[in-house]
Amino acid sequence: MVWLQLVATRLTQAVAMALVLATLCFGFVQALPGDLATRIAAARVGEDRLTPEIATRIRAQAGLDQPVLVQYGGWLADLARGELGRSLVTGEPVVAEFRYHAGHTLVLGLLGWALSYLIALPIGLWAGLRPGGWVDRISDAAAVLLASLPPFLTGIALISLFALTLTWLPPAGFGTWAHRVLPALTLALGLAAFAVPVIRTAVVEVRGAFYITYAQIKGLGETTAFRHHGLRNAAIPIVTYAALQMTFVIDGFVVIETLFNHPGLGAWLVKALLARDVPVILAASLAIGFLFSLVSLITDALCLALDPRARAASVRLGRGWSAR
Amino acid sequence: MNRAVILALVLVVGGPWLAPYDPMEQNLLAVLLAPTWDHWLGTDHLGRDVLSRVLAGAPRSLGLALGCVGTAVALGCTLGLMAATGGRWLGALIMRGADLVLAFPGLLLALLLAGFLGGGVGPMLFGLTLTLWPQYARMTQAVARRALAEPPVEAARLAGFTTLAILSSLVLPVVLRALLPLATLGVGQAILSISALGFLGLGLRPPEPEWGAMINDLLPVLTEAPVQMAAPCLAILTAVLGLTLAGRTLLARQQHSL
């Protein structure tokens, strides 16, 4: 029941978001100056071979002579069937381009996310187990500093250090795994800056909890008590925070992919926005939006699975559970 | 901290006025000059004085961020109070609206609006305000609900004060005090967002001296002009770091007094 509510809430939100995005793009196309049929014709056959007849044919074909509301309905119906059309710039089907870019984004995202936990977990745990110690103080300062840097500046700093000064890695582009190291590291550092304080606070709070004291009175060693009773409790805020982190990942994607010229969804979206390529803008923003919804759903589900109290609370209140 | 706030305001208001040169003026005979007494931070690839551009960027980056967060707080506060005091349907409508905006990942909405409307000051203000208001509305609603259940509110209601009077004298001060640390941190985040949009070429357009756009401008000449590049970077870092630390202090003070 709880799980069903959770899925229903997130699904409704995702559909509403898709509707807003589609409406925004439709409104943008309508608001553009000039005749839409002529522009589509120009994009299809080229400016020099454009004749009024072609434009008229396209107008009838695409239903552009219909009232706006009918066109809007048609646009939504096409979308619901998964017909996203062709890119106005390359002429390729949007779906094919999407697959290519989504793959690059997924690899970079997973790499960056995994790397961030490789950095953040040991540091956060150490800082939380020894609050006020030197690891805690240094990591806190570093986290504040990193969180105050826009992701493109972290990226530029890494490029100038590892690519321009040390020349260990290529500065930008794609193809080999070496090209993925710097973008993934940039993403990971930005993520870790948010994750370290969260992990630290969670560990500190759990260590001060009465059940840990009780476990120690019972005779368990400090480490055993923490491993048996603390880890799961500390995991709840850490997992909850992962959703907020994903917000950063998605902003980060757009900026980091553009900086490193990495052909993922974010760079695809920015290029399309600069070229005003509406079918691609819609497809890319839908893809990024759905990716975010999916991650939020997984996060909420993980929280429910980890925390029986949340399950009980959302049953008692009779409403959907939301981590945010 | 008060002194820092005054310094920041002086920079926002007087930044362009303090600038020794016209931030847009190009001099192609003096491109990429290293720092000298005439040009303290050197010149960029079009011979523009970098110090002047960084100073002129203050109202665009910092000022615009303040404007966005200010508008978002005003909007979120109003809607949050309406949700807390209005009927069930109005409250549900406002809160579902906030949920819908929060379902969009981070900058996506602002990015699209800036792209569609052509990133001037107006579209940026609109897009960022639209993305930022829900968090303030949620906080306002939660705090206002708690404040409305307090005995003083009950007493005021029995004494015959109107809802508006109760809200403005008993609820709003509590709400604003709760929002202040969040908003301070929010201004820092807004600076990062504005600079990110500028860097992507979707925010304020060149030749506008916005810090993010300046960094994008100077990126191709990074190796020849490290000082010129460092200037806008440090400007962003200082502004955001200052706001983050101020927000953290305010937050800690608040938790202490509770």
Side-chain angles (χ1 to χ4, degrees):
Chain A
M1 191 55 208
V2 183
W3 303 95
L4 213 69
Q5 270 176 352
L6 167 65
V7 173
T9 313
R10 284 296 179 193
L11 211 62
T12 321
Q13 275 181 5
V15 171
M17 180 183 61
L19 210 64
V20 171
L21 286 176
T23 311
L24 255 175
C25 287
F26 182 78
F28 175 62
V29 173
Q30 294 293 317
L32 277 176
D35 179 46
L36 187 58
T38 316
R39 249 182 301 119
I40 294 177
R44 238 176 247 177
V45 300
E47 293 276 358
D48 41 340
R49 278 186 289 165
L50 181 65
T51 60
E53 288 76 45
I54 299 177
T56 316
R57 206 177 62 225
I58 283 178
R59 185 172 298 121
Q61 250 176 20
L64 294 172
D65 43 3
Q66 309 253 320
V68 174
L69 271 180
V70 176
Q71 285 187 43
Y72 179 60
W75 165 275
L76 289 185
D78 279 353
L79 208 63
R81 271 182 275 122
E83 281 170 30
L84 290 161
R86 284 165 179 276
S87 160
L88 300 180
V89 175
T90 59
E92 294 287 315
V94 168
V95 178
E97 289 197 356
F98 159 75
R99 283 207 197 98
Y100 173 73
H101 293 287
H104 279 281
T105 287
L106 280 182
V107 171
L108 179 61
L110 288 177
L111 209 63
W113 190 74
L115 203 58
S116 86
Y117 274 90
L118 224 57
I119 300 171
L121 267 182
I123 297 179
L125 276 173
W126 193 328
L129 291 173
R130 300 274 176 275
W134 61 273
V135 174
D136 187 22
R137 270 178 287 163
I138 292 176
S139 71
D140 184 51
V144 172
L145 196 71
L146 264 177
S148 304
L149 278 172
F152 58 88
L153 275 191
T154 319
I156 291 172
L158 289 178
I159 289 178
S160 31
L161 179 62
F162 289 109
L164 300 181
T165 312
L166 297 173
T167 60
W168 288 350
L169 292 161
F174 66 103
T176 62
W177 281 93
H179 287 102
R180 293 216 171 95
V181 175
L182 285 183
L185 192 61
T186 312
L187 202 57
L189 282 177
L191 281 174
F194 288 95
V196 167
V198 175
I199 296 171
R200 177 205 176 266
T201 312
V203 172
V204 168
E205 263 169 25
V206 164
R207 262 168 47 92
F210 60 87
Y211 49 80
I212 294 286
T213 320
Y214 173 68
Q216 281 176 339
I217 293 171
K218 208 169 67 179
L220 293 180
E222 194 187 359
T223 329
T224 325
F226 184 72
R227 213 175 48 232
H228 281 260
H229 302 278
L231 271 185
R232 188 175 165 124
N233 279 298
I236 295 166
I238 296 174
V239 169
T240 312
Y241 214 78
L244 278 173
Q245 280 196 4
M246 282 317 283
T247 329
F248 171 83
V249 174
I250 283 157
D251 288 356
F253 268 138
V254 176
V255 172
I256 290 169
E257 287 180 350
T258 307
L259 172 67
F260 286 99
N261 209 3
H262 185 270
L265 290 172
W268 193 38
L269 175 64
V270 171
K271 266 191 201 130
L273 274 170
L274 291 171
R276 317 215 135 189
D277 188 349
V278 178
V280 174
I281 295 177
L282 182 58
S285 49
L286 278 177
I288 294 174
F290 283 146
L291 197 67
F292 180 64
S293 302
L294 188 70
V295 172
S296 310
L297 179 68
I298 295 172
T299 315
D300 288 358
L302 269 176
C303 281
L304 280 186
L306 277 171
D307 192 354
R309 285 168 304 181
R311 278 201 297 271
S314 61
V315 167
R316 210 165 44 241
L317 293 170
R319 59 181 167 79
W321 164 259
S322 164
R324 298 178 69 179
Chain B
M1 206 180 83
N2 287 329
R3 258 179 246 160
V5 171
I6 292 169
L7 184 70
L9 284 178
V10 166
L11 277 177
V12 170
V13 179
W17 185 72
L18 285 171
Y21 296 89
D22 178 353
M24 312 277 195
E25 193 190 81
Q26 303 183 2
N27 179 3
L28 294 176
L29 294 174
V31 295
L32 296 175
L33 287 184
T36 57
W37 282 112
D38 286 339
H39 299 279
W40 287 7
L41 296 174
T43 60
D44 69 4
H45 58 299
L46 294 173
R48 296 172 294 195
D49 181 53
V50 171
L51 177 65
S52 303
R53 285 179 72 71
V54 170
L55 283 172
R60 287 170 179 83
S61 301
L62 197 56
L64 187 57
L66 275 172
C68 290
V69 173
T71 325
V73 167
L75 186 69
C77 218
T78 315
L79 288 174
L81 286 177
M82 278 165 71
T85 54
R88 247 182 79 197
W89 285 105
L90 183 67
L93 188 73
I94 291 171
M95 285 301 134
R96 289 300 84 75
D99 283 347
L100 178 61
V101 175
L102 287 175
F104 282 88
L107 271 182
L108 184 62
L109 214 50
L111 200 69
L112 287 177
L113 285 171
F116 285 162
L117 301 174
V121 171
M124 298 266 285
L125 193 68
F126 179 62
L128 285 173
T129 304
L130 196 65
T131 15
L132 291 176
W133 73 268
Q135 56 187 100
Y136 302 115
R138 280 189 159 202
M139 183 96 175
T140 302
Q141 193 235 18
V143 173
R145 263 202 186 158
R146 224 180 307 134
L148 281 169
E150 300 262 314
V153 173
E154 196 108 354
R157 201 173 281 153
L158 287 173
F161 286 100
T162 58
T163 312
L164 205 63
I166 293 173
L167 281 183
S168 62
S169 61
L170 290 175
V171 179
L172 195 61
V174 183
V175 167
L176 287 181
R177 212 173 306 142
L179 286 185
L180 184 65
L182 199 64
T184 311
L185 294 171
V187 177
Q189 293 305 310
I191 293 178
L192 292 183
S193 302
I194 291 166
S195 69
L197 288 174
F199 176 75
L200 293 172
L202 292 166
L204 299 182
R205 290 279 155 80
E208 286 274 338
E210 191 273 320
W211 295 335
M214 284 176 68
I215 293 171
N216 191 16
D217 262 3
L218 286 165
L219 196 54
V221 290
L222 174 61
T223 39
E224 294 111 281
V227 178
Q228 289 89 321
M229 184 64 154
C233 295
L234 278 177
I236 294 178
L237 182 64
T238 321
V240 180
L241 196 61
L243 285 159
T244 309
L245 291 177
R248 273 165 60 116
T249 313
L250 286 171
L251 211 58
R253 205 178 287 170
Q254 202 172 64
Q255 276 162 355
H256 211 66
S257 69
L258 280 177

